[in-house]
Amino acid sequence: MEKIELSTPEPEKVLPILEDAIARQKRLLAQSLVCTEERIQQLAGRLGVNPDRLLAGQVPHPEKQDMDLLELEGELELRRHLQVQLESLEHLKLCP
């Protein structure tokens, strides 16, 4: 595991701030994931599309649904990005 080092004259003051910021960011990411997942389910249900098949390129893009399918693909990519960020924070450990 790689380390990142921070220098501060008052670590006892900075450590709680960093812990709080990390916890807050985790909560925001988790909330964003819930909203994104709800949006994915809404779009997939309305379009009658399996999101996994869409990501695999197995769903045709008829012209009348093209924009909606692109929106769904965007939400799927956003979900992946949020998951990666949250996983990164879950593995983070502050070492005083």
Side-chain angles (χ1 to χ4, degrees):
M1 195 177 255
E2 297 289 327
K3 289 187 177 187
I4 298 172
E5 189 173 319
L6 300 172
S7 297
T8 179
E10 301 178 292
E12 66 282 349
K13 290 182 181 178
V14 173
L15 192 59
I17 294 169
L18 290 174
E19 289 171 340
D20 183 55
I22 291 167
R24 191 171 344 116
Q25 186 65 19
K26 286 179 185 178
R27 282 192 307 274
L28 288 172
L29 288 168
Q31 290 169 351
S32 295
L33 271 168
V34 168
C35 291
T36 301
E37 190 61 43
E38 287 173 358
R39 184 71 180 135
I40 288 169
Q41 295 307 316
Q42 289 172 351
L43 285 167
R46 189 179 83 216
L47 296 168
V49 172
N50 179 311
D52 294 328
R53 290 191 65 227
L54 180 64
L55 285 177
Q58 300 173 344
V59 175
H61 281 236
E63 191 173 318
K64 67 178 183 172
Q65 287 186 325
D66 192 45
M67 292 305 291
D68 291 330
L69 290 169
L70 288 173
E71 182 180 356
L72 178 54
E73 287 174 346
E75 293 292 334
L76 292 166
E77 178 60 26
L78 176 59
R79 178 181 66 184
R80 187 196 63 76
H81 180 71
L82 293 170
Q83 287 170 333
V84 166
Q85 286 185 339
L86 185 57
E87 287 173 15
S88 294
L89 289 178
E90 293 295 343
H91 293 100
L92 189 66
K93 177 183 174 189
L94 293 177
C95 304

